């Protein structure tokens, strides 16, 4: 049994290895061109290196297309009698997928690519030779950068293995993820679109499986949790009958599962708890599921009455407040339409709130601008 488990783990790691979500690259801006001291000519500036977002690009394709992972921009042209101002060197563009965070070697964020054709300058070209540099050119900036893929989706599915996330995704969208009846976990992000009758589309991501200790990078911990950061809304999916990964791990009830999922998010990044969240209680087609659901609702509505029963390491500082709790069955289709409606309602409400906040901020800035412009003449008169 043990050897089968090791083989399965090895097989999962091999398959997951095919999915690339981060890449380390060498970049260098072009050197500037030589100046022309006798005539005061300036050399051209070296080319810059940019990371540019492309909708159909993946990090895997980028690695295969540029196996050396080295990007150098062109050198600036030298100043000469026929062209005292040297031409700028050719820029170098690195095609990258949308949803990329670009960081330097120290982990400092340089920028993010959130939509098609977004551009980030990662290595600047050197100045051409001029009077200030004694007509000697400067070298371009050298930089090691990391491209880190963090999926952008409207909804991110959060749940332990075998909660039924893949089955749910296939039920609410046209995605065809792998589904199994053993403790199986998604090995790479699966994306699906919920299509509504009025042609509204909502993107849902089933992310690599979460396990206890994910915040410590156990299992696929950080690979999972970093993708959660870039979703607008969380959809917790729990098995009403509870969860047990193996005979060597403890059994967890549905309520304990919710607590542990919340705790993992909290330990990784407390800000994740501020995201809008819904809870889908799955496998309601199982025997005695109704009684267990009533018990779960009582625990969720009165968490303080039950938290003292669990170890401190299991209990989050604050419990998740779910906007909607929907009992479903990904097998029979029970509650699926209601879930889709709740997802849309929640996203629309928060979009309206963000728009209101944006307009209020614009109005406030306009009022401040008007106040400053009217007060300036008065302040001048007062000085005079």
């Amino acid at each position: 049994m043990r050897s089968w488990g090791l083989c399965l783990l090895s097989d999962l790691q091999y398959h997951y290895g095919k999915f690339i979500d981060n890449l380390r690259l060498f970049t260098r801006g072009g050197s500037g061109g030589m100046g022309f001291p006798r005539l005061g000519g300036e050399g051209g500036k070296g080319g810059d290196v940019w990371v540019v977002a492309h909708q159909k690009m993946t990090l895997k394709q980028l690695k295969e297309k540029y196996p050396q992972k080295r990007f150098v921009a062109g050198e600036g042209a030298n100043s000469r009698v026929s062209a005292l101002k040297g031409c700028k060197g050719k820029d170098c563009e690195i095609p990258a997928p949308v949803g990329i965070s670009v960081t330097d070697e120290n982990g400092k964020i340089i920028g993010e690519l959130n939509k098609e054709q977004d551009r980030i300058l990662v290595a600047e070209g050197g100045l051409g030779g001029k009077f200030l540099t004694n007509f000697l050119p400067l070298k371009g900036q050298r930089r090691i950068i990391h491209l880190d893929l963090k999926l952008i989706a409207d909804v991110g599915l959060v749940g332990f293995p075998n909660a039924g996330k893949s089955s749910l995704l296939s039920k609410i969208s046209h995605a065809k993820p792998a589904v199994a009846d053993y403790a199986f976990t998604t090995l790479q992000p699966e994306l699906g679109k919920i299509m509504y009758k009025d042609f509204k589309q909502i993107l849902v991501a089933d992310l690599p499986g979460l396990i206890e200790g994910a915040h410590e990078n156990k299992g696929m911990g950080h690979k999972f949790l970093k993708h959660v950061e870039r979703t607008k809304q969380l959809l917790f999916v729990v098995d009403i009958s509870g969860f047990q990964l193996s005979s060597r791990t403890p059994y967890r009830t549905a309520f304990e599962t919710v607590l542990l999922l919340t705790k993992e998010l909290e330990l990784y990044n407390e800000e994740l708890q501020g995201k809008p969240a819904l809870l889908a209680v799955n496998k309601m087609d199982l025997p005695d599921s109704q009684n267990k659901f009533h018990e779960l609702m009582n625990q969720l509505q009165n968490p303080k009455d039950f938290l003292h029963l669990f170890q401190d390491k299991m209990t989050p500082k604050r419990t998740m407040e779910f906007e909607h709790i929907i009992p479903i069955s990904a097998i029979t289709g029970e509650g699926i339409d209601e879930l889709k409606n709740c997802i849309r309602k929640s996203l629309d409400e928060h979009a309206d709130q963000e728009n209101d906040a944006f307009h209020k901020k614009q109005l406030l800035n306009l009022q401040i601008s008007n106040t400053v412009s009217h007060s300036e003449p008065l302040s001048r008169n007062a000085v005079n």
Side-chain angles (χ1 to χ4, degrees):
M1 181 72 178
R2 183 175 174 78
S3 62
W4 177 86
L6 290 173
C7 289
L8 176 62
L9 179 59
S10 175
D11 190 42
L12 297 187
Q13 289 172 338
Y14 169 74
H15 284 293
Y16 189 80
K18 292 182 178 180
F19 177 75
I20 298 175
D21 56 9
N22 60 77
L23 211 53
R24 182 176 182 269
L25 307 175
F26 171 83
T27 65
R28 189 179 74 211
S31 297
M34 288 289 294
F36 202 134
R38 188 161 58 88
L39 298 177
E42 294 185 5
K45 181 180 179 295
D48 303 318
V49 182
W50 299 80
V51 181
V52 184
H54 293 273
Q55 202 70 251
K56 295 183 180 180
M57 177 59 70
T58 67
L59 289 182
K60 186 171 183 290
Q61 290 172 333
L62 177 60
K63 183 180 179 183
E64 290 172 349
K65 188 174 181 180
Y66 304 97
Q68 300 299 320
K69 295 181 289 185
R70 182 181 177 86
F71 298 88
V72 179
E75 296 183 353
N78 295 334
S79 174
R80 56 188 189 277
V81 175
S82 59
L84 290 178
K85 177 69 175 176
C87 295
K88 183 178 184 294
K90 185 178 180 181
D91 287 349
C92 174
E93 293 190 355
I94 305 172
V98 174
I100 285 288
S101 175
V102 183
T103 58
D104 64 14
E105 192 75 320
N106 299 316
K108 182 180 178 182
I109 295 179
I110 302 171
E112 294 185 342
L113 303 174
N114 294 321
K115 62 181 185 299
E116 177 81 6
Q117 292 302 315
D118 272 1
R119 301 167 63 85
I120 299 172
L121 176 63
V122 293
E124 193 169 357
L127 292 175
K130 59 177 71 176
F131 179 76
L132 292 175
T133 66
N134 202 24
F135 297 98
L136 296 174
L138 301 182
K139 292 183 178 180
Q141 182 182 14
R142 297 164 63 98
R143 212 175 200 181
I144 300 293
I145 64 169
H146 293 262
L147 304 186
D148 196 25
L149 176 63
K150 295 183 178 183
L151 291 175
I152 299 176
D154 298 305
V155 181
L157 303 185
V158 178
F160 287 138
N162 221 36
K165 302 195 308 298
S166 296
S167 299
L168 176 59
L169 184 65
S170 65
K171 202 75 176 180
I172 63 177
S173 72
H174 298 294
K176 305 248 180 254
V179 178
D181 57 1
Y182 52 88
F184 170 85
T185 185
T186 302
L187 304 180
Q188 63 185 46
E190 292 278 357
L191 296 176
K193 282 184 181 178
I194 304 177
M195 308 287 288
Y196 293 89
K197 291 181 180 178
D198 61 353
F199 305 109
K200 167 83 171 182
Q201 298 180 12
I202 290 177
L203 192 62
V204 182
D206 179 16
L207 308 171
L210 188 64
I211 64 169
E212 289 183 47
H215 70 281
E216 298 173 344
N217 208 19
K218 291 181 180 178
M220 299 175 192
H222 288 178
K223 289 182 183 294
F224 169 88
L225 290 164
K226 74 176 184 181
H227 291 312
V228 175
E229 292 180 280
R230 294 288 288 280
T231 58
K232 297 177 184 176
Q233 179 175 287
L234 305 180
L235 175 58
F236 281 53
V237 184
V238 301
D239 185 335
I240 188 58
S241 60
F243 172 68
Q244 186 174 20
L245 183 62
S246 71
S247 58
R248 294 188 296 276
T249 58
Y251 164 77
R252 305 298 191 188
T253 65
F255 182 60
E256 288 176 287
T257 301
V258 173
L259 292 181
L260 284 167
L261 290 170
T262 306
K263 187 69 174 179
E264 290 300 334
L265 297 182
E266 176 187 276
L267 291 171
Y268 178 74
N269 182 355
E270 287 189 26
E271 292 182 8
L272 292 177
Q273 289 180 276
K275 285 183 178 290
L278 283 70
L279 173 61
V281 183
N282 196 18
K283 305 188 181 180
M284 290 299 294
D285 54 294
L286 296 176
D288 201 33
S289 58
Q290 287 296 334
N291 290 333
K292 291 179 180 177
F293 181 72
H294 290 311
E295 180 183 357
L296 174 62
M297 287 298 295
N298 182 38
Q299 292 168 321
L300 292 172
Q301 290 167 357
N302 308 285
K304 292 182 179 179
D305 296 342
F306 302 94
L307 292 180
H308 69 279
L309 301 174
F310 307 107
Q311 297 176 340
D312 289 341
K313 66 179 183 180
M314 280 184 59
T315 54
K317 294 177 185 176
R318 63 186 181 95
T319 54
M320 292 294 294
E321 295 183 9
F322 297 108
E323 297 183 359
H324 301 280
I325 300 174
I326 310 100
I328 66 165
S329 170
I331 301 299
T332 66
E334 174 190 346
I336 296 298
D337 286 340
E338 182 185 356
L339 175 61
K340 289 162 69 173
N341 291 335
C342 288
I343 289 173
R344 177 169 183 175
K345 180 180 178 184
S346 177
L347 284 170
D348 287 347
E349 286 175 352
H350 285 279
D352 290 341
Q353 290 173 10
E354 288 178 3
N355 286 335
D356 288 344
F358 175 73
H359 290 313
K360 286 179 180 177
K361 186 177 180 180
Q362 278 190 318
L363 182 61
L364 180 61
N365 289 339
L366 184 62
Q367 290 172 339
I368 292 172
S369 176
N370 288 337
T371 302
V372 170
S373 63
H374 282 101
S375 63
E376 280 180 350
L378 294 175
S379 61
R380 289 197 198 98
N381 292 334
V383 171
N384 290 334

